[in-house]
Amino acid sequence: MQRRGKVLIGFSLGAFAGVVLLFTSTTWFLYTESLKAEEQEVANLARALGERTERIIVEAREMLDAFNKFPMERCSKEHLRAMHEVAVAHPHIRAIGYWRAAERLCGVGFIQGVALRPSRADRIYESGVIAWWPKPETEIGGVQLFLMRYGEHDVAIDPRMLLEAGPMQDRLAGLWVENLRMAATPWNAELPSPDTLSNGLTVDHENYRLVFRYSLGTIFPIDVVAIEPIGRFWSRYESALIIAAMLGLLLAALWIYAISRYSQHRLSLATELRETLKRNKLQTQYQPVVDLITDRCVGAEALARWVREDGETISPDIFIPVAEVAGLVPDITLAVLKTTLSDLGKLLQEFSDLRINLNLAPEDLESEKFGRAMSEYLEQANVPTSAIKLEITERALVNSETSRSLIRAFRQRGHEVAIDDFGTGYSSLSYLESFELDTLKIDKSFVDAIGTDAVTSNVIGHVIDMAKSLGLDTVAEGVETPEQVSWLVEHKVNYGQGYLFSKPLTASKFHDFFRSHRERRRRKRR
Ligand code: C2E
Ligand code: CA
Ligand code: CA
């Protein structure tokens, strides 16, 4: 119970640690992805705004150039109408005017020619463009306009319209021409001047925001600065992360519940198994071992079978591990021995060369207790010691000193000893040499590999050679095809066990099998 509690706590902590790890890595992943997306967004915004401004200015100059080349009388009705049409078609154009030398003679749009008479131009470019930056002198109707003259014509542009950014949420943007702030969204936004920034992305850790500067300059040097707060990550993913955390915790709880149910199940399985043993209800089946050349039955392996009250048969592969944890394995070995003696005692008395193999577990090799109990049982049943052959797995030989002397004692009493599942552990020839053995059982996995290209198909040859060099009999386990038999006979393997000969049988079926496989031999002999 104590052990179970510890295991449960371990599993719970593991499950929670897993959830926390998963959650933090997901959050980190989302955070970096979100940052990348925000960087992309702010860059796209700055570029879009800069390119739009540039396009407006280039188009405005092309428009002025077209008017300069227009072959019509200046300030005529036709001239004014043409200018008017262009002005009303563009929301950012407030006026278009005609100049002769330093005088604006006529104009159209929201401002009449006379209304706009700024003094000196701010800038005259080599391209012929003359610029007046927005200032009180260019203010009409509360808006300081940006004037651009090219040749004989000029255009008054509402700079606010150059920064038509659409919905901005909590982003900021500003436009500079010749390092003069023309417009911003929102109009009063606090923005760093472009000459304090390098081109491209700046991560402003102090204010927790991304700043992007984008510069162009076909006609005027234009700079756009766009700003995106980093903090949008939480508002964006908050609900998703909360849901993920809840789901994670729910999963952890379900996992812990399943584990505790499972361990309870194992526990109740152990209780039930203990009951079964107490009531002598564990059954045994016998799988014949035959001589590969004569087909004669030389013995059988006793295999434990647990048939529950509801008729369900539980495989030893499941209940042996349960029994190991519950410390019931020595009881199982003795229970199998006991049923074997009562099922086959008479047969064993009659045929002294018949061997029944008993599977020993590592626990049986820990002390002499098992050996003594076994001797008692055999004596009571009046069955010779040699009738019971002991199968020991490589795994059970770990505690080598004790098992070596126990094995020696078993053999001195008359038991033969087989090494089981050979090849699945770590045993080497030299290690095996140090034990006194009679038989080597070649594991089914090697027999399966016969006639295939599997790597293990080479190993079986070495295993057989090893057995020969130690002077051991060989039994191939899990033989299922006649081809395997031919191969095994060719390689001088003595005995076989497997579905090809017989599945594990009940005691009475085994009696039949045994008699027929002895009588057949007798008939052959005659
Ligand atoms: P194992 O000692 O290697 O026993 C051989 C297993 O292979 C048996 O399974 C047997 O039914 C199966 N088998 C035999 N021939 C063939 C074949 O041709 N094809 C296939 N696919 N399988 C074949 P089983 O009875 O389910 O036993 C499983 C394992 O449980 C045994 O492996 C043994 O390690 C353990 N076991 C069984 N009875 C006892 C027992 O009384 N005491 C202990 N400690 N362990 C036992
Ligand atoms: Ca075995
Ligand atoms: Ca085996």
Side-chain angles (χ1 to χ4, degrees), residues 67-240:
F67 276 123
N68 290 338
K69 291 177 182 152
F70 212 37
M72 62 179 58
E73 200 184 319
R74 301 315 192 201
C75 295
S76 65
K77 257 192 183 162
E78 198 192 359
H79 184 210
L80 292 173
R81 197 187 322 117
M83 290 194 292
H84 179 76
E85 272 167 20
V86 173
V88 295
H90 297 91
H92 55 276
I93 296 182
R94 285 301 159 103
I96 302 174
Y98 168 72
W99 295 62
R100 183 177 294 149
E103 205 178 341
R104 198 173 196 261
L105 287 188
C106 57
V108 299
F110 301 102
I111 321 142
Q112 294 311 308
V114 282
L116 196 63
R117 286 255 163 79
S119 52
R120 280 185 48 231
D122 291 304
R123 192 83 180 212
I124 300 170
Y125 291 92
E126 267 175 28
S127 62
V129 172
I130 304 169
W132 288 265
W133 310 130
K135 57 189 156 197
E137 247 185 292
T138 67
E139 182 175 319
I140 304 284
V143 183
Q144 297 182 358
L145 300 175
F146 161 47
L147 303 191
M148 175 176 149
R149 177 178 167 188
Y150 187 61
E152 296 173 317
H153 290 84
D154 80 338
V155 62
I157 292 171
D158 183 343
R160 295 171 312 175
M161 297 294 190
L162 293 177
L163 205 66
E164 187 42 68
M168 293 277 282
Q169 289 162 351
D170 37 12
R171 293 184 199 131
L172 310 173
L175 170 72
W176 280 259
V177 174
E178 279 283 3
N179 271 328
L180 267 156
R181 180 161 156 162
M182 291 274 155
T185 307
W187 66 272
N188 59 350
E190 265 188 43
L191 295 159
S193 150
D195 52 14
T196 65
L197 299 168
S198 52
N199 250 329
L201 184 76
T202 308
V203 183
D204 179 357
H205 290 290
E206 211 168 291
N207 297 304
Y208 212 55
R209 60 191 192 170
L210 302 169
V211 182
F212 199 92
R213 173 183 168 193
Y214 185 59
S215 308
L216 340 75
T218 312
I219 295 177
F220 311 116
I222 294 172
D223 286 290
V224 170
V225 173
I227 292 182
E228 166 114 17
I230 296 176
R232 282 176 52 202
F233 168 73
W234 282 115
S235 55
R236 207 186 287 186
Y237 291 113
E238 195 174 40
S239 43

Side-chain angles (χ1 to χ4, degrees), residues 199-431:
N199 250 329
L201 184 76
T202 308
V203 183
D204 179 357
H205 290 290
E206 211 168 291
N207 297 304
Y208 212 55
R209 60 191 192 170
L210 302 169
V211 182
F212 199 92
R213 173 183 168 193
Y214 185 59
S215 308
L216 340 75
T218 312
I219 295 177
F220 311 116
I222 294 172
D223 286 290
V224 170
V225 173
I227 292 182
E228 166 114 17
I230 296 176
R232 282 176 52 202
F233 168 73
W234 282 115
S235 55
R236 207 186 287 186
Y237 291 113
E238 195 174 40
S239 43
L241 285 176
I242 289 174
I243 291 172
M246 308 261 273
L247 272 179
L249 290 179
L250 189 72
L251 272 179
L254 278 177
W255 168 247
I256 290 163
Y257 175 74
I259 291 288
S260 76
R261 280 300 297 261
Y262 177 70
S263 72
Q264 235 164 27
H265 175 70
R266 294 274 301 234
L267 208 70
S268 64
L269 216 56
T271 313
E272 204 183 316
L273 183 59
R274 194 173 285 125
E275 273 306 300
T276 308
L277 285 167
K278 225 182 257 168
R279 288 188 283 119
N280 273 331
K281 283 286 169 71
L282 196 73
Q283 301 184 11
T284 306
Q285 291 196 343
Y286 307 90
Q287 186 174 37
V289 176
V290 301
D291 184 312
L292 286 174
I293 293 175
T294 62
D295 208 27
R296 185 169 177 263
C297 179
V298 296
E301 175 174 359
L303 294 162
R305 290 289 176 267
W306 181 14
V307 184
R308 291 170 85 183
E309 304 231 306
D310 59 5
E312 184 196 4
T313 303
I314 301 183
S315 151
D317 287 327
I318 290 176
F319 72 78
I320 296 286
V322 171
E324 269 170 20
V325 175
L328 293 174
V329 168
D331 297 343
I332 290 184
T333 314
L334 287 176
V336 171
L337 176 64
K338 208 170 174 181
T339 36
T340 301
L341 292 174
S342 78
D343 283 345
L344 307 179
K346 288 243 157 56
L347 202 66
L348 290 167
Q349 287 162 353
E350 186 182 345
F351 295 90
S352 61
D353 59 343
L354 177 60
R355 300 278 174 273
I356 299 299
N357 294 12
L358 186 67
N359 285 289
L360 298 198
E363 288 85 340
D364 297 320
L365 290 184
E366 276 169 10
S367 72
E368 286 175 14
K369 225 170 85 188
F370 166 73
R372 279 199 298 270
M374 180 164 58
S375 296
E376 265 172 44
Y377 280 30
L378 284 166
E379 224 166 278
Q380 274 169 24
N382 198 22
V383 168
T385 321
S386 59
I388 300 299
K389 186 163 176 171
L390 305 171
E391 291 197 7
I392 298 171
T393 59
E394 284 176 88
R395 199 160 62 88
L397 298 181
V398 180
N399 192 354
S400 47
E401 256 334 297
T402 324
S403 37
R404 198 170 286 126
S405 63
L406 285 175
I407 289 173
R408 193 173 303 129
F410 289 146
R411 290 186 83 249
Q412 275 165 3
R413 272 190 223 131
H415 295 290
E416 285 175 19
V417 176
I419 177 128
D420 196 7
D421 301 340
F422 187 78
T424 58
Y426 51 81
S427 295
S428 63
L429 176 65
S430 57
Y431 185 68

